[in-house]
Every structure is written in C-alpha cells, then in structure tokens.
Amino acid sequence: MSAGQQMNDNQWHKVVVQRHGKSIVLIVDKFKKIKLAGTTADIDFGDVETNGFVYVGGLPGSFRGRLTSLALPSILFEPRFKGSIRNVMYRNCSRPKVRGEMIDFVGVRTNDLDLCMTHNPCLNRGVCTSTDTQAICDCTKIEFQGKYCEKERNPSEVTFRGTEYLSYNLLSQGGPIVSSKESIDLHFKTKFPDGLIFYSGDAGDYIIMSLKKGNILISVSLGSGVFDKTIPPDKGVTFHDNTWHHISVTRITRQVEITIDNLDVIHGTTVGRFQMLSSSILYLGGSPDPKHLQGSTVDANFTGCIKKVIFMADHLYLPITDLARDNSSLIKRQGNLTFNKCQEVVFATPLTFTTSKSFLIIPKWDARNTGTIMFSFQTIEKYGLLMYTNGADATSDFFALELLDGYLYLILDLGSGVIKVKASMRMLCDGKDHKVELYHRKRSGTISVDGKHMRYKGKGRAQHLDLQGMMYVGGLKVGDMNKVPRQLWTAIFGYGYVGCLDNFAINGIPQDLAQLAKDQSIEGVDSGQCKKQPDHCPHKPCLNRGVCSEGWNRFTCDCSFTSYFGPICNQEAITLTFDGEQHMKFTMPEESQTEAEDISMRVKTTHQYGLVFATSSLKSLDRMELSIDNGQARLDLNLGSGAKTLFAGQSLNDGKWHTLRIERRLKNVVLKVDNLNPVTGKAKGQMAILDFKVIEAGQLQTDDSGLKIKQGFIGQMQNFYFNNMHLFEMANKNQLKNLEVTATIRKKDTIIEPMTFKTKLAYATLPKLKLHTTFSISFRLRTTEADGLILFNRGSKGDFIAIEISRGQIHLLLDTGDGARELKSLITAPLNDNVWHSVSVIRPKLHEYSLKVDNNQVMANFDRSRSKFDLDGRLYVAGVPTEMYSSLPNLLSSKHGYQGCLANIDLNGKQPNLAKEFKVRKKFEKMVVQGCTGPKFECTPSSCANQGVCLQSWESISCDCNMTSYIGSTCKKDSVAYKFAGSGGLVVFTHDIEDRLDREMDEIALGFSTKQSDAVLLRIEGGNTQDYIEMELVNGVVFVVYNLGTRDHPIGELFQRMDDGDYHVVRFIRNGQNASIQVDEMAVQTKHPLGQQLSVFNSQAQVYIGGRYDTESRRISRPFKGIISGLVLNGIRILDLVKEADPRITIYGSVIHSDVYFEKSDATTRNPFSPVNITQKPMDVVTKMQATSGFKTSLPTTTDDIIFSSSGSECLSDDEDCEIHSGSGSGSDDFITPSINITGTRTSLSVTPLAFINTTVQTVTATTSGSGCSDLDDENCKVVSHTTGSKTTIKMSATQKSTSVTLPPKTTNSTLTDASTLPSTNNATMPGIITYKTDNTHKQGKTFPTVILDITDQGSTTPAVKKTAKESSKANDNNTLSITIIVGIACGAFFVILVIAFIIYRVKKREAATYKIDEGKNYCDLTKECDGKKSPTKAAVEGTKKKDVKEWYV
C-alpha cells in the first residue's frame, strides 16, 4: 500500500497505520487507503508476549541472516530513513495508546546540535550523519571504505565460466518488487561474443542485458511491448576483447537511458502505457536455461568477469556482487564462483574429436559423496564412447556415458551391480547442441539432457562411488578396450566418440580440453568452433566400391562388400584359401564374456557345405557357429539354454564373393547375407551372455560341445571382423598371440610365379588338361599386344579347347566333338593396357560355361555339346609351333603367340610350378623367363605433353600428337604454323577424287592465336553434297557447326573468350551425329542431337583454312587474322602439306609460313588474292609460340539450343541425289546461288572462284510475272529465281546453249582476283563483266536477298559471226527439239513432283529437329533455338547431274 505525496518537502507529515482484523488502513496527512489482508483465517499478529522490538528509521544488520522472517525482505536493502521522527505512538487491540520509549539507538541525535555542520570527517564524498555523540560516515555508495571512507574498496569481481550464476527469487520471500524506476550499473570483460549478463523480471516484465554476436543487447518490457536496442562496438573495438567495459542502464517510467563505457548515451522509450516494472527474479552471469527466459535471445551463459554490480529499484539498493561475496542469504550462488580476482576462463575453445581412435585423459572424478559433470556435445554419429572411469581395478566401481543407436546411456557400478540407464528419450545424433548435466550424490543422482531429468539409483547396498582411475574422454586405448566391462558396448565394438565437446566441467571446475589435447600431443582432435562441415560422400571418397556414410566432419567407408579395407577401402585385404583340411585358430588370452557382437566376413566357395567359423568356451556350452549348409548361410547360437538356428541367403556356392554379417544385442540376433533382407531371431533361455575363448575358421580342431562337426570349408575368405578385431589382417601382421594358421594367406592381387614371353614366337608346354564334368581354368595376364594365342590343347578326334586374346578381348573356343563353340568377353576397354587382368573359365555344370575377365562375366549354355573332352598331347601356353598355325581350328583368329606376362595359372584346382614344369624349346629359353620383365618404358601421365596420347607397346612407347597441335616424340615441339595477315588469306586443300570418303567420324585439332572476335578458322565441305563442318569465332567464342543432311548442330565453349592473343588449342571430335569440343584444358563440351539424325559426312572434298569463300563478293568472308598451327584433320597434317608444296594445296591472299609470331609483316600490303610462295622463309622472330594453356571448369554444358549463321543444305536426307537449288542469306556470310541474266556470244567461261557454278540452259527465253510459287517453301516450285518486287526475268540468247563457270586446274600458283581482273582459260578472252545486284524482299518476317548476275560482252576483241542458212535451219530444228524436250521434261517433272510430294509428306511426319536448316536462313539469336518451321524453297534445276544415293533411299 502506498499513500501521500511530496513527503520529502522537509515539512512534518502525520502517518497512521490501523488494522482491524483483515482490514488495513493507511493514512498519510489527508490521504487514506484501505485494503484487506489475504484470505487466511489467522488474524492475529504474532503474540504480544513474544513479538520482537519495534524498529524506527531502519533495521539492524542482524536481519540479513533472517530475511525469511520479513514480510518484505528487500526492505533491508532500502536506504535507512534520514530526517526527523516524533510522536511515535501505538496500541494493541483495545489497550490504550502509549508513547514508545527508546530502548536503544544507533546514529540518532535527539538535540539540535549537528556535528556534520561543525566538522565533517567523511572523505571521498562519504555521506556524514550527526548523532548525539559523533558524526558517522556512510561509504556504501562510493568505492571507499573505513570509518571515514579513507580506504579504497577492493572491487568484488566475480568470475563466471559459463555454468555459474548469481540469483535471487522473491516469490517465496514476500512477493515481487514493483518500481517506477531502475538502474543497473556494472563492469564486465570477456573473450566470448555471446552470453546472458543480467536479468530482472517477472513474467512479461523484464530488463535484460546480454551479449549477442559481439554486440550489447538491451531489452526492456513493462508488459505492453518490448524495447530492444542492439549496440555494436565502435570501429576497431570489440566488447569481447578481454578488457573491462562499463554498462549503465536507467529507466524512469517509460524513458530508457543507456551509457556504454561512459561515452555513448542512447535514449529510448518503452512501448505502451505501463510505467511500473514488476521484478521477482534476478540473474547475474547466466541462468539455468537462458534461451527459455522470456525475452531472452541468447542461449548461453556469460563467460568472463563481472564487477561493481549495483541494481536499484526506486529506493532499493542492491550491490549484488558485494552481497554474493559476503554470503548474503538474499543472493544464491550457483557453481564454483571465484570472487575478488578475475581469472582467465580456461575452457574457452571447444574440442572436436575427428577420429574414433582419439581420446583425452583428465584427472580422476571425485564423486564419493557428491559430484557433478556438465558438458555439451554435437554429433551426427550414432555410436561413441563419451567418457569412462573406473576404480582401483577393472572389476571395481566404474562410470561411463556412451551413445548407442543415437541415444545417451549411463552405465554405473557402485561395486554391487551394474545399472544401464537410457538417459535420453530421443536420438541425439542430429548435429544439434545438447547439454548434459549430471548430479551424483552417494548412491543416486540425476542426469539431465536438454532440461529433461532422469533419476537413477545404484544397485545393492553400496553407498559410495569410489573412482580411482583417470577419466578417459572420447575413447579408450586400443589395448584397454578388451578390459572394460561387457556392458560398455561401444568400447567392445571400438567406437570412440566423433563429434564436438564444449563447456566441459567436473565438480564445477572447467576443463580446458584443447590445452589438455595439446599437452598430451593427441592426434585426431581439432580445437575450434563446433560446426558441421559440408557432406563428403557426394565426392565419392570411398574407393573400390566402398559404401560411404556421413559422419561428424568426416566420412566412413563400409568395405565389407569389397576386397579391401582401410579408411577409404584402399588397402587390399589378404585372402585365406582353405582346402577342407586347413584352418585358422585363435585362442583368447582369457575367457571372454560379451553381451553384443558385430561380426562380418566375405566368403567364396563352390561347395555346398563347409564351416566358416565357430566360437567355443572352456567353461560352458556357449557357442556361435556360422557355416554354409546346402548353399545357405546357417547360424547356430547357444547361450547355455539350447541352440537357436537361423538360415539366410541361397546359392552361396556359386563361386562368387558373398558378405555375411551377424549382429547380436543381448538375446536378439540378426543374420544378413549381402544386401538381402536380414533374418532375425532370439536366443533360447534367459541368458544373454556369450562365453568364448577360442575362435576357429575353416575347420574345427576341437569340439567339446556335442554339436555336429561341420565339414571343412573349401574356398576363400576375406575381411573377417570379430567386434573390434580384424582377425585375418592381425594374423598376417603377427599381431595375435596363440594363433595357428594352416590356410594359405596371400593378397588378392598377389602375382604368383609370373613368366614372361618376350616374343610372339616363343611358347611353353604343360601336361595335357584333364577336364571333367566340371572344371575351372584361371590365370592372370599383362600385355600390350592386342592379339595372341594364350592356351591351346587339341584332341585326337577334333576336340580342342583354346583361349586367345583378339583385339584386346578374351575368346574361349572349344569343341567336344559336335562342333566348335565360341564365348567372347564383353569388356569395354581392351586388355592390352599393360596392367594385370584376371581371366577365369568355369564349367560349374554340364553344358554351362562362364568366362570372367576381371569383374565382367558372360555365361553360355551349349545344350547339345558333349560333356567329355578327349584331349591328348600337351597343353600349349602362349603359342604353338609356327607350322601349326595353319592347321588350327577355323574359329581361332590367332596367327602368332602371346607376348607378355602370365601368372597365377590354375588348371582345375592345380597350380603348377611354372619354373619347374614349363617345357620350353632350347631356342626359346632366353625368350621365356621368370618374373614379369615388362616394357622397359611405360606410359605415365607425363610421357606425352599437351594432352598427347601415349601408345604403349611391349618394346617401347610413342606419343600420338594429332589432337595437340604439337609435334615431336613427346608432343612438345611447335608444329608448322601459318600467319594469316593483311586483308586475309585462304588455304584450300582438295581431296583427290578417289580419296573423297564418306566418314562417320571426324577428328580435328588445331592451335591458333588471334585478337579477332569474329572469323572462320576452318571449313570442310562435301564434294557433291552440302554436308559441312565449320569452326569459327563468334564474339570471341569458339564454335563448331556441322550439318550431315538434317540440320545445323552448333557446339562451343561458351565460358571463355579466345580473342586475347594467347595461344589456344581446339579439339573437335564427331562420332556420328554426336560431337564433343574441348578448348585448351577446359571441360569437354558434348552434344547429342535429339530426334532422327543422319550420321555420315558424305564425300569430304574441300578444306578451307582461314575463312569462308563468299560467292557474292568473290572474296574471303569473315577472314581469320592471326596464326594457325598444327592443324590435323583425320590424321592429315594439312599445314605440313602446305609447307611441302603438295599439289592438293592452293593458297590465296596473305598466308605466311611462320614458326613464330610476327610483330609486323610486309604481307599486310599484299593483294589478299594474289598467289603466295609457300616456300618463303619466316620473317623477323618476335615471340616463341607458347604451350597449351587454359582454365579448367566444372560447368559441363551443351549447346543444343544455339543456332547461328552458317551454310547448310536443304536436302532432307543424306542421299547425295540433292538437286541444286537457290538459297537466300543475310549478308556476306552466306553462299548464294543467284538467278542469272546472261547475254553474249561465248559458249564457255572459265574463272577461278573456289566453288564452281555449272549451269546448263536448254530453253531459249523464259519470262515470269509474279512468283510461280505460292510460298517460298513450296517443294514443287521449278523457277530457279527469287522475286524482285513482283517480276523476275531470265533472258538468254537464242544461240546460247550453255554457260559454265569452272575452277581451273589446281596449281600452287592459282590466283583469285576480283571481277575486273578475272582471267580466262582455254585461250578464251573475257566475254563480259560479272555484276551483282541485290534487292531485299521481306516476307513473313524474314529477309530474302535477291541477287541478279549479269554477264555482258563489253569490249570483246572477237567480232560477231553471221549465221548461215544452214545454221539457221539447224537452229529451227533445235527449237523444235527443245519444245519436244520441254514437253518430255514437263511429264518427267510431274512424276518427280509426285515422288517429292510423297517424300515431303513422310518427312513432315518426322520431328522438327530432323529437318536440315539452310545456313543462309539462320537468323536466330545465339542464345535461342530456331522454331521448327518448314524447310526453305527447294527449286529443281533441269539438267542437274544426278548424284549417288548414299543413305536416304534404302
């Protein structure tokens, strides 16, 4: 209750307090308040006889120990009254009012003498108070102490380590403090960017001060909204720099003022109308769970030091750190706090265990009476030993925490029985931070996981946990894992903890795990942030088909399905071979008892029965036995109450490797074969412990169990894991004592008795093969030769068996008397790669044959073959005598013997000693030697430079440099180079007629250097087709466009410009319709066109280097300017031919032979179409050509959707019967077949363009008005022209029979000139001038340029000749004949039109992607796919030469 106003006005005020039962009245001057007190039935105020004294003006300090006896405990911390009090009177019940008599007083004066006015003895701003006897100094609010405030006060510094905090709770001590103003003033220093510093509040009311991400965060709520302020540090300063920082926060009603380091003053206002703050709980330095405090945005406690903490609420004054230091009953301490000295926090850095073999050792945990362990952890792994400690010996008390299947388990033994408590109800392997707190007291305790508590209690009568050993954190020593209690499964399985540990404290004392790891030189740990790294398995780190699983910042590889072991399945496992009588026996040092087992192994056998392994005990009937029973895996488990039998899998005797697994947890057991569904069962009886001392594999040497003795195992075993023991590898390294091994131990890839056959003439012999109903032959080979006879054994009745290598493949050939049979391997890569390969031939059943090469197997069933081989003579190895090859069975392709190495020969289970049993003719003794003396020189990654391909033979190596642009023995030497300068130059290579092949595959490589962004590097054209390949630069990017008769297919390297003047290498390969391109060492780009496509480039004829010939301007279009080097087209080095003056080469323009770069050249002034002497020497040397360079990229892309301007064909098939037709283009980049207006008297004209026009005219005059076709795409259109406006005219002389423009005979001095200087051939003079006129007509959004070629007689030196009558008559006859021919052609054309219409109908049924696009009509943007519209106009020219039908018509 509160009443009155302005009580501090230095005037007298009257105060009356009355109580009548539950009614309480407060009167201050004229103000009166009434309130009922509670609901209790007790209305008595104590006992008048025993009630204490009445205190006036304050309370003595003795009440600090009796706060619970006060109605408002916080009043003790209010300032004592300063002023005057008089007329203190009171009465009880009906008794009369009495004046209280002063019994005792402290610091009170009853007279008017003020000693502080006459002499103030207080120093350092101490507050002076006068009494009747002396002046008293109040030093509580200053940093000094002593009688006169003369001594500097030691600051009450408190060290917090992340788990400690200070607090009070007034809910049980009189209720909350309700105030209209508060202030918090403190100093802190820390190295941590996050943590709760101060909290005071009650439900929705609170004031919070915290550090978050290095910023100071202040939150104030009065119940009607939140005021949040984030204050970052000044530039160059941090708040977690381990130096002292000062924070002061003051609230008066709704106004908030924040001061940081006495510099920055920040003002703010709370939300809503509320002005009072209710506070019942206060925390300093942290709380039990900061992230669940209302209004808190941090989830960690403060770590560091705090001092001089003053909290004031109205007149309440709380020096919190001083009260905590003085053990005030108001302030509760949590944890092991350090006062008066700021200590460095030692567990500053979390520790990550990166391997299951890493661990730490910390001092023993004293928990005999009480003990605490606190830590937090993060992991995604299901298994791991977190900590373990024991008593004086292994059989005494112990304590452990472990993760099993993702759950946290507590295992405890006080010496009278083990308890195993599941401490978490959900899996904790989720990568999140989990906080664990364990409080142990004598024989019981509580373990808390993320705030969820679980109580536990030890077994028996033992009352204390006596631990004498050191505590292991994260794992155990390998040698100690077998000494731990059987209840600690993670130790038995060898699962150390892999994950992060943080905030580790024992009995409130933090442990610096990072420093301990450093002091103990522990490997496999990493100090730093607990942060999950990206997944590893997408990068496929496990080798040899190991199965990858993600761990905590690591990956694990399951190698149980492979012939390897190790962290990444990179170590080859040894193989134990058993013959039915051999065994491996391991005797444990002492009798073992286990509650759980993890067992796995691989087996391979062709027998239906055999013992795999068994355990046995010398003290009990316990037994675990795994065997092959009728081709199935059989498990017998006896824990003392009878055997439980499980079967799994089938046909395990198929000669293949199979993986067997056994998992047992107490009575539950699982048997699994390969990846099949597991078979589960439960052991009989109540026992769950397996006793064993002996582990035997292959065959039993002792059997005291009374169980049926199993047949010995015949076959092979690998990777035998029994819990944490890799038994076979330990046996191979002699790491096991009491071990007996009679089985054969060897590596899988061990090469046994290798022999080398140095020539193809040498051979050896062995006794004849004895092949029964079932048999097997196996060996290993290593060779560089693709062909040769390996094994051959003949019989007297035509029977034989042979194995040969043919074209790098293994062929099995045999005949049992009823016809020869053949079985071929189907491996993708040839075997002549100079590495070892395994070959096996098995007949597991009658008529069934298996040929296995490495891991590739083919099967065949020869139903009618006889079962028995009648063989005689000897078995020939690696060949036969030379004279025998002509008489070998026809199916054998071998004409010589095998050259290379052979080893591991196994003939139906027998392994001959080759060095002793081989019979070799004397002349071959030096050619057949022991060991594998392979090629003296072997291909290595560095054998050939610049991506040259190393070719391995048995005698030597060589480099194929065709796809490198370099030459030389190792592809390091610069190849022939030519510089294209001036206005451009052109090199033309023309295949001889007989060499114009139809190619299904093309390989092109060249190097170039240029600063030109748009040019044609290379173009290949068909002789009588419009198939082509063109390599070009577009905006500095390399593209190749190819067209095989359907459409243009572009492919390029889009992510790097090549017009930088550097040397670049382009490699292009086409295989059918598919293609790939690689520039320098960047990623290979591929293209796989969709739909029905043609795959053959028909009749390759011309190769243009340095540009494309433009028939319109008769010049080089898009000429290349720069250097081209090392051009190889399908094995032909064209630039070498240029240098050698090959007659198939023609050069135009400025083309200069140059092995080096030129800074400048007089070739720039040369007429670009003048001939070049190809033998001229290079000019001044400037810069040597550099080797291939480039950037690697991981962005494989295709260019399926890119179409750009290039020449094409309108033929819809690859048949070479395409008729010449006109096209249209968009500029100088297009080849144009023009309509022709010809006048003159010459009958022939020869010029020197690079492509020829052969036009035969048999009609006199033709005039067409408008367009003879309804649409440009009309396939039935006969008019060989395009519309100019609305009229097209074709004029020809009546006496003109034919005009042909042909290419002159090829010479190296051919000259290509412009139209004004065109030479004539055949001693004919120039008949006229060729001119080009262009008119662009727009139709359907496309531009179709019309070109008219006029050839007129201007200044001819030959006079016109008059025609005689005979000639006129002949001309009339010719006219009649021409009309007849026209009628015949019209009829034929009608028939052709029907055929073409049918073809068009069929073609239009195809997908749009299969239509061939005329290069002259590609107006698409580089980044878009052209729409699938119909093909352009196809006009037939009469008299066109019919071409060969290649593919389309079948």
Side-chain angles (χ1 to χ4, degrees), residues 1288-1299:
T1288 299
T1289 303
I1290 302 176
K1291 300 178 180 179
M1292 299 182 187
S1293 172
T1295 60
Q1296 185 75 30
K1297 290 185 179 180
S1298 65
T1299 300

Side-chain angles (χ1 to χ4, degrees), residues 35 52 129 164 227 447 461 508 1108 1158 1190 1383 1409:
K35 193 173 184 179
T129 301
E164 303 90 348
F227 165 79
I447 183 170
R461 298 180 179 180
R1108 179 202 297 167
F1158 286 87
V1383 173

Side-chain angles (χ1 to χ4, degrees), residues 469-485:
M470 307 298 283
M471 176 174 281
Y472 291 86
V473 177
L476 286 171
K477 293 180 181 178
V478 175
D480 293 340
M481 288 187 176
N482 296 326
K483 302 177 182 179
V484 299

Side-chain angles (χ1 to χ4, degrees), residues 525-598:
V525 295
D526 182 23
S527 58
Q529 294 183 350
C530 291
K531 185 178 181 181
K532 178 71 173 67
Q533 295 178 356
D535 290 345
H536 298 78
C537 289
H539 302 292
K540 299 181 179 179
C542 300
L543 305 179
N544 302 304
R545 295 184 296 173
V547 179
C548 182
S549 299
E550 292 295 343
W552 177 259
N553 296 342
R554 68 162 187 164
F555 61 90
T556 57
C557 295
D558 181 2
C559 311
S560 59
F561 294 95
T562 75
S563 297
Y564 296 84
F565 71 100
I568 58 174
C569 306
N570 60 327
Q571 302 180 50
E572 187 179 350
I574 65 166
T575 301
L576 266 65
T577 302
F578 299 85
D579 62 2
E581 298 179 357
Q582 296 171 322
H583 71 280
M584 185 206 78
K585 179 180 179 182
F586 171 56
T587 303
M588 305 287 289
E590 57 187 24
E591 191 84 10
S592 296
Q593 292 184 326
T594 57
E595 292 183 347
E597 296 86 36
D598 275 348

